[in-house]
Structure formats: structure tokens, C-alpha cells
Amino acid sequence: MEQTGIVGLGLMGASLCKALKAAGYPVLGYDLDKSVQKYAELTGTVDGPLTEDRIGECDFLFIALYPGVAVDYLTANAARIRKGAIVVDLCGVKRAVCVPCFRLAEENGFVYIGGHPMAGREFSGIKYAEEGLYRNATMILVPREKENLYVLSRLRDLLHAVGFAHVTLTTAEKHDEMIAFTSQLAHVVSNAYIKSPTAREHMSFSAGSYRDLTRVAKLNETMWTELFLDNADNLCRELDGLIQALTEYRDAIREGDAQRLKELLREGRERKEEIDFK
């Protein structure tokens, strides 16, 4: 069985460790926080520490760190990675990570593929890690242009083994464009929505709509700040579009323009139906 290594033992990295072990893969792990490292070893989340001298044993190396730290780690350890090994990051943005990491892979003889698992929880940290976090989820992969099909097949087989149901291939540019809408915009909106003074009095007045809209307001502000700023162009474009749309709704309501408001609501309903139908 191929040796796997995980760098970063928070929610995403530790959950991948558990899923890999359940699928029969040996797992070495490393975390910058020594207390997290010890916890992972004591609880059997990893089979052993991923020390500098053992990086070269790994056939697969997954980097579950914040984007900037992920690039720094790979820069510092690129020469230790075995030739032909497959390195995958799990960062939520791709341009900021893929550009330097593709270069490092080419210079040092290993394969680098950008990755972003479409899974998560509103909590962070190793204590919330779950073996089934990635079950039936989608993994987005950003390979270099004309990547070896055998390499992609090996990685796809491993991802399916740990529970991923779908693997989507794209470019770093397309990934960041889409994720600004599907993930980052939702986190900004949720985080801003909960700041209403009325939120403090919502008990007994809220149901599913409130829960759905506020779930991701409970975010890791350090990580999301970096993700938002690394994708500022795409995210600002989405925010500008949303602000413009909200302004139209607000103006129609303020002016008592029932016809315009009805048109706006119909347009939104029809757009949702059109998207769902596809």
C-alpha cells in the first residue's frame, strides 16, 4: 500500500488522515502545533510523525495548510520530496498556490496538483475531524496542462477510496472565479447578516431560513481573511453584483413599487428554477 503523508492536522487534514487509515493506507502526519501533533499520535489519527527525513518516503503528500503557509512549507521541503511523488494541496484558493507550486514541482521532479475538497464543517480543529467528512463529496483538482493520465488515475483511485464521489478537473483561474460565488460570497453574506441588531432577539422567531443563512457565519476569521484577499478580484466582482441587486430590491420596497418588486422576485424564482433544472 502506498505511503501517504499529511501536512496540517486541523479539521481537513485530520479528517483525511482518518479516511485514509480506514481505507488501509499508512499515514504519516505533521502539524506546526506540537500539542496537535502529539494529540494526533496519541489518538492514532496518524501512524507516526512526518519528520523531515521521512518526507521522501511518501508516494502521496497532502498539504492542508493556509495558502501562504502551504507555499512556504513546499518551498522549504521541495528537495526532500521523492521524485515522481504526487503532492496535493487542500487550499480554498488556487491561483495563489498553484503558480509557485507548479514551478517547485518542475524544478524538483515531483508532481504537484492543486486540490480543493468540497466539504467541511462550521467548526475547526483536529477534535472535530471525522472519518466520513469527505464521503460523497467532490474534489476539485487543478493539474498542470497535459498532466500524465496515469498520475491522475492514481490520485483519483485514492480519492475514491477515501470517500470522494466526484472528481472535477479545472484551471486555477476558473476555480477561483467559481469559488468566489459558490463559497466565499456566501460566507461574507452570512457573516454580515448576523450583525443585524435584531439577531440578538431572534429566538422563537426563526426557523430553517435563519439557520441556513447563518450557518457559515461561524467561521475561522484568520483563514477566511487570507482566502478572501487571495481572491479579491473575483470576490469583489460578486459583492458588487450582489450590492447592486440588493439595492434594486430595497428601492422597490422603499418606494412601494409592487410591480417592480414582483418582477425582481419572479426573476429570482425563474433563475433558481432554471439552474435547478440543469
Side-chain angles (χ1 to χ4, degrees):
M1 186 65 76
E2 292 174 301
Q3 179 68 62
T4 61
I6 311 292
V7 181
L9 302 177
L11 172 68
M12 307 302 282
S15 292
L16 184 56
C17 288
K18 293 187 175 195
L20 285 165
K21 288 194 64 176
Y25 287 88
V27 180
L28 300 176
Y30 169 74
D31 195 90
L32 300 169
D33 187 324
K34 288 183 170 55
S35 64
V36 172
Q37 178 74 44
K38 185 168 249 345
Y39 180 88
E41 294 175 23
L42 289 174
T43 58
T45 302
V46 298
D47 294 313
L50 179 63
T51 55
E52 290 183 353
D53 60 334
R54 299 197 70 181
I55 292 175
E57 299 176 16
C58 295
D59 301 290
F60 292 95
L61 184 65
F62 293 90
I63 303 178
L65 301 170
Y66 295 173
V69 182
V71 174
D72 289 344
Y73 176 87
L74 197 58
T75 300
N77 293 283
R80 298 184 177 91
I81 297 172
R82 184 177 59 75
K83 305 295 184 185
I86 299 174
V87 178
V88 182
D89 79 273
L90 304 184
C91 299
V93 290
K94 294 274 71 79
R95 289 175 298 172
V97 180
C98 288
V99 171
C101 290
F102 280 137
R103 183 180 65 252
L104 287 167
E106 184 175 355
E107 292 172 351
N108 291 275
F110 59 85
V111 175
Y112 164 77
I113 298 175
H116 186 185
M118 295 290 94
R121 299 184 62 188
E122 58 268 39
F123 306 106
S124 60
I126 190 172
K127 67 179 180 179
Y128 294 108
E130 298 178 352
E131 175 190 319
L133 183 67
Y134 301 115
R135 192 170 296 128
N136 297 320
T138 294
M139 171 66 100
I140 299 176
L141 295 180
V142 178
R144 64 179 180 177
E145 189 175 358
K146 298 180 181 179
E147 181 58 82
N148 185 295
L149 292 179
Y150 174 66
V151 168
L152 291 173
S153 178
R154 285 178 59 205
L155 179 56
R156 185 181 288 111
D157 288 346
L158 181 146
L159 293 173
H160 286 323
V162 300
F164 286 97
H166 308 285
V167 174
T168 297
L169 302 182
T170 190
T171 64
E173 292 74 19
K174 187 63 175 179
H175 169 276
D176 287 359
E177 176 188 344
M178 296 305 296
I179 219 68
F181 171 71
T182 62
S183 176
Q184 295 183 343
L185 181 62
H187 281 78
V188 173
V189 170
S190 180
N191 196 263
Y193 173 79
I194 199 65
K195 292 179 181 178
S196 167
T198 315
R200 297 183 183 278
E201 304 171 22
H202 83 277
M203 298 300 292
S204 300
F205 290 88
S206 60
S209 299
Y210 171 84
R211 289 193 297 272
D212 290 344
L213 192 50
T214 59
R215 183 180 65 82
V216 294
K218 194 174 182 179
L219 47 69
N220 179 330
E221 62 270 18
T222 301
M223 179 183 75
W224 283 100
T225 294
E226 184 172 352
L227 294 175
F228 291 160
L229 294 181
D230 278 342
N231 201 25
D233 54 345
N234 289 311
L235 181 54
C236 284
R237 185 178 62 251
E238 293 294 342
L239 284 167
D240 287 342
L242 178 62
I243 290 169
Q244 179 180 344
L246 288 173
T247 300
E248 292 179 7
Y249 284 91
R250 184 204 62 194
D251 290 350
I253 293 169
R254 175 178 288 168
E255 296 164 10
D257 190 341
Q259 184 59 38
R260 178 56 179 154
L261 180 58
K262 186 175 180 179
E263 289 175 0
L264 291 169
L265 294 171
R266 175 180 52 78
E267 290 169 359
R269 172 180 58 78
E270 290 178 348
R271 177 65 63 85
K272 173 63 174 171
E273 291 172 349
E274 175 189 351
I275 294 170
D276 286 351
F277 182 74
K278 288 182 180 179

